[in-house]
Amino acid sequence: MQLNRIDLRRLILSLATVSVILTLVNALYATYKVQRNLLIDGTLHANEAYATKLARSAAMHLNLVRNELKWSSQTIAQAPRNPSLLQLETERLLHQSESFNAVVRVNAKGQLQALAAPEFFKADVILKNAPIQEALTQQQTRISSPFRLNQGQYFILVSQPIIDKTGHYDGFIGGLINLHNRSILHRLLSDQSYQDETYLYVVDAKHRLIVHPDETRIGEKVLDNPAIETVLDGQTGHQKIINSQGINMLAGYSPVGISGWGVVSQRPLQATLATLDKQMLSVLWHSLPILLVTGLIIWLFAGRISKPLWHLAQQAEHPETPETESEVKLIKTWYYEADELKTALLKGFGSVHQHIHALKTESLTDPLTRILNRRGLQQQLETWQLENIPFSVISLDIDHFKAVNDAHGHDVGDQVIQAVTEQMRECSRNQDVLSRTGGEEFLMLLPYTPLEYAVQVAERLRKTMSEAPLKTVGTITISLGVAHWPETAEDMEKVLKQADVALYQAKQTGRNKVCVATDPACQEAMRKWEDVLN
């Protein structure tokens, strides 16, 4: 059958083109998914890291503020009735570090004893606010919730109780921080410049915004925001959320433990992925030259790919031709599939040869014992004669085997033959040759083995058989005759006959024994046989 090389080439081109296109589509899709996940994951972790950093900075600042107020409270406690000291200490707190926008000293009765603040701060307005009364009631260090004070702006009050020398509560000293104006805390949390639409906000323990880019939302209470719920629960982390404005956000958050606040840094999902589509188009555009080069290479190599397959197919049509195997070996298979096909063809030819060899071996082997038959024995003898290999011969026969067959049947007789064969294997070497020459007759050929050693092997085999009764028939004995080529005779046929005569002599003199061709009785028997033959 002639193969159409053009059709095969087109098939390869089609499959390769489809594969390249599918690979490209899959690569683009996988790249898109990976890049999308990387962008989202990177933004989430970046926001978490930034929120954590600012939360720690805010906690450090608030702790510093509290320490400043604590120092002032201790100073004031030493001279609670000294107006000049009170005013001086409040002025110091206001101007020393720009931590506060105003500083107040309120006694236990709720009376303002000192105020350090710009002119537009009114003392009566300050005292009317709930955080002042809460500080007096709770009598402990606290950070208040946002409250409106000056011009509708939101403030927080950080207060420190004052304990006099007698251990009694004597009001507090507190610092007011404007959430809209310049202060260290305001600069720390509000003055963050972003180019990618990321922004940061802070909520207090009551879900109220205390820092937000849109200052009109400061003081607003935010509910149903999972990021705020989680951060106010004291957890640091990140998650994708839909904020209170219905926008998908990538949020990272961290709590400010000292104040119960939560810092949230977030970026819109749409802004994060805005550049991804352009990136993918750029990837596709830059891939086009490679695609064109790949297509050209596929077209050029399609012929080379199909050529070895075509030659192999041609040779496979004529497996019976003697030169086919050598022709297949000459075919150049430079890629995996063709090489595998070539190997398979060669293995096929080898299998045919092995089958022929197996048939030949079967013709040389006894089917019952799987050792050589007469034909196989003869072939081995001819080989050794050509190579001039000396050997000993052990001829053996099962004693009273006909009685076993008559008493137990041929199946049991076959089992006895197999048992004898097995013992022959046990007593022989790998290079020894075993043969079944008749019904219960066997030969063992022992290359490069002196006659004396062969006699020992025969005696060991005889003894093993006589001492190992078989399950069905009991004890089985064998008789053996031993000869050697060229020691006992120079003619191989004569050596085999000497072994047979020695075997016959063993049977005639009582069975279950070993006779050697060099024994006088065996030599006499051999002369009589030669006389009869002559």
Side-chain angles (χ1 to χ4, degrees), residues 24-39:
L24 176 63
V25 171
N26 180 70
L28 289 174
Y29 177 74
T31 301
Y32 176 84
K33 295 292 289 185
V34 169
Q35 289 297 324
R36 185 179 188 276
N37 291 336
L38 286 175
L39 283 172

Side-chain angles (χ1 to χ4, degrees), residues 357-386:
H357 178 72
L359 292 175
K360 183 178 180 181
T361 301
E362 193 72 23
S363 68
L364 302 175
T365 304
D366 175 59
L368 178 62
T369 60
R370 310 309 300 172
I371 60 178
L372 294 180
N373 56 20
R374 283 186 175 275
R375 185 182 295 108
L377 177 66
Q378 186 60 39
Q379 189 176 86
Q380 189 65 56
L381 288 171
E382 291 172 358
T383 300
W384 286 1
Q385 188 172 28
L386 289 174

Side-chain angles (χ1 to χ4, degrees), residues 62 65-66 69 100 102-106 126-127 129-136 140-147 149 154-160 172-179 185 261:
L62 291 173
V65 167
R66 288 172 57 177
L69 291 173
F100 306 111
V103 179
V104 296
R105 159 68 171 109
V106 180
I126 293 176
L127 293 176
N129 281 277
I132 301 294
Q133 303 305 317
E134 291 172 358
L136 290 170
Q140 62 182 5
T141 303
R142 66 186 302 275
I143 300 173
S144 73
S145 298
F147 62 94
L149 184 61
Y154 278 92
F155 287 76
I156 60 172
L157 172 66
V158 183
S159 60
Q160 175 68 32
F172 68 87
I173 184 168
L176 285 85
I177 300 175
N178 190 333
L179 298 179
L185 183 63
W261 300 347

Side-chain angles (χ1 to χ4, degrees), residues 97-218:
S97 62
E98 295 186 356
S99 295
F100 306 111
N101 298 95
V103 179
V104 296
R105 159 68 171 109
V106 180
N107 64 17
K109 296 179 180 180
Q111 299 170 341
L112 184 66
Q113 292 189 318
L115 170 65
E119 294 181 356
F120 51 80
F121 279 90
K122 305 299 181 181
D124 57 337
V125 176
I126 293 176
L127 293 176
K128 290 179 181 179
N129 281 277
I132 301 294
Q133 303 305 317
E134 291 172 358
L136 290 170
T137 301
Q138 296 181 13
Q139 300 182 9
Q140 62 182 5
T141 303
R142 66 186 302 275
I143 300 173
S144 73
S145 298
F147 62 94
R148 289 182 182 273
L149 184 61
N150 185 57
Q151 299 177 353
Q153 293 183 338
Y154 278 92
F155 287 76
I156 60 172
L157 172 66
V158 183
S159 60
Q160 175 68 32
I162 299 174
I163 309 299
D164 63 19
K165 295 179 180 180
T166 63
H168 293 90
Y169 178 71
D170 190 24
F172 68 87
I173 184 168
L176 285 85
I177 300 175
N178 190 333
L179 298 179
H180 301 264
N181 209 337
R182 308 301 295 179
S183 68
I184 293 179
L185 183 63
H186 184 273
R187 287 196 295 270
L188 180 65
L189 297 177
S190 299
D191 291 357
Q192 307 297 330
S193 177
Y194 302 99
Q195 302 296 326
D196 58 0
E197 301 184 39
T198 300
Y199 65 92
L200 178 141
Y201 62 88
V202 183
V203 292
D204 68 1
K206 296 181 179 180
H207 293 73
R208 292 187 182 278
L209 292 170
I210 60 175
V211 175
H212 196 280
D214 183 1
E215 294 190 354
T216 62
R217 296 190 62 189
I218 294 178

